[in-house]
Amino acid sequence: MNLNIIGKKILLTGVNGMLCSDLIKYLTSKHANLYTKYFDVNDESKWTEIILTFRPDIIIHAAAITNVDYCEINPELCFETNYKSVIKMVKHLKNEKVIFISSSGVYGNSKSDSFYEESDITNPTTAYHNSKKKAENYLIKNYPNHIILRLGWLFGGEKNHNKNFVSKILNESKKSTLIYSDNKTIGSPTYTLDVSKQIWKLLSYDVIGLFNCVNESENPISRLCYVNSIVKISKLDNEVAPAKNNYFKRAASVPINESCLNHELNRMNLNIMPNWELSLLKY
């Protein structure tokens, strides 16, 4: 185990995002030397300035446009931010460690009802997931010192964050006794604090590679099951019912299955991601 990570300089992007809200707290508790000022990752001059002045040992590149429907309507901006920012970053690096935050959605619909492993075929169905896969490919081909993390359905962070799915459901519960949820999509709910701890573990062991990074479950979890668990844990009386087809209108053709198994983390005996319901309860 490489304990020398303590005190290393870590540059974060996407500092206003849900993942970084927990990542900053956790890394701060580990006495990491963090750069947490917001900057536009599309501005190459900012990359030049920050890398030259801060001189990071590690970069956690979490910045992205994550609104899948917005990305579908604005593909040029999506690819500029989610893919080309990686090229701009790499131009100014020597051999610093890069952690790139990707998505379980890059697998597309290659499987209908079983877990994806890292070796499975990727076939993205949206502009957002295409942009993430292109960024992955670029790093794999051009920058060996990387960790790529394919994350699941994230929950966590501040309760008022606009991406907070748990808060969204709790707010809906106040408006109606009946909550509709999609019963056709399956995935892996994933706690941002657990991801933060897993990142620290991977950095401590100085590994490289591509990893699924999701909370554990015996079977893929439907969106309906996920919402039911939020309601149950919150001790609410709301009924959760399957939504009819096209109830949730989407611009993007999101994948039906985003459920993953942390095969590579398990293979390397580095998996510390707990059961998803235990983490949801903790959150």
Side-chain angles (χ1 to χ4, degrees), residues 38-57:
Y38 170 82
F39 70 99
D40 182 0
V41 295
N42 293 330
D43 185 345
E44 189 171 342
S45 67
K46 288 296 182 183
W47 281 109
T48 307
E49 175 189 338
I50 294 166
I51 290 172
L52 285 176
T53 56
F54 183 64
R55 297 188 180 278
D57 302 293

Side-chain angles (χ1 to χ4, degrees), residues 87-269:
I87 300 173
K88 294 171 184 175
M89 171 185 67
V90 166
K91 280 183 184 179
H92 303 284
L93 299 182
K94 296 178 181 176
N95 193 39
E96 297 86 348
K97 177 76 72 182
V98 169
I99 297 182
F100 178 69
I101 303 302
S102 190
S103 168
S104 58
V106 298
Y107 293 106
N109 290 314
S110 303
K111 290 183 175 181
S112 60
D113 57 4
S114 57
F115 290 116
Y116 288 108
E117 297 182 5
E118 292 87 346
S119 59
D120 283 320
I121 294 170
T122 56
N123 187 23
T125 60
T126 72
Y128 170 73
H129 296 112
N130 262 301
S131 68
K132 285 293 187 179
K133 187 63 178 72
K134 285 178 72 70
E136 287 184 9
N137 290 346
Y138 184 84
L139 285 171
I140 291 168
K141 184 177 180 180
N142 297 285
Y143 196 80
N145 194 13
H146 66 259
I147 296 172
I148 296 169
L149 297 180
R150 291 176 176 166
L151 306 186
W153 293 342
L154 289 183
F155 66 88
E158 303 300 331
K159 66 179 183 180
N160 59 348
H161 195 280
N162 62 1
K163 287 290 181 179
N164 191 320
F165 185 73
V166 174
S167 289
K168 178 184 176 183
I169 298 303
L170 295 180
N171 288 334
E172 285 187 23
S173 73
K174 298 172 185 177
K175 300 174 184 177
S176 173
T177 57
L178 180 61
I179 300 173
Y180 288 104
S181 181
D182 184 356
N183 195 33
K184 294 183 174 61
T185 59
I186 56 175
S188 298
T190 303
Y191 186 19
T192 50
L193 180 58
D194 292 334
V195 174
S196 302
K197 294 176 181 178
Q198 186 69 70
I199 286 173
W200 181 262
K201 179 90 169 181
L202 291 171
L203 287 173
S204 298
Y205 279 82
D206 197 26
V207 301
I208 60 172
L210 186 154
F211 304 88
N212 291 337
C213 183
V214 301
N215 281 111
E216 299 280 287
S217 61
E218 289 186 13
N219 301 294
I221 306 303
S222 72
R223 186 73 74 171
L224 182 74
C225 175
Y226 184 15
V227 173
N228 255 321
S229 292
I230 295 170
V231 170
K232 180 181 177 181
I233 289 171
S234 304
K235 298 180 179 179
L236 301 173
D237 296 325
N238 302 74
E239 178 187 353
V240 180
K244 295 179 180 179
N245 289 340
N246 299 320
Y247 182 84
F248 300 103
K249 297 186 185 299
R250 305 292 303 267
S253 180
V254 295
I256 299 300
N257 180 13
E258 292 188 51
S259 54
C260 289
L261 181 69
N262 298 336
H263 180 269
E264 285 300 301
L265 289 176
N266 287 325
R267 184 183 66 80
M268 299 177 73
N269 199 29

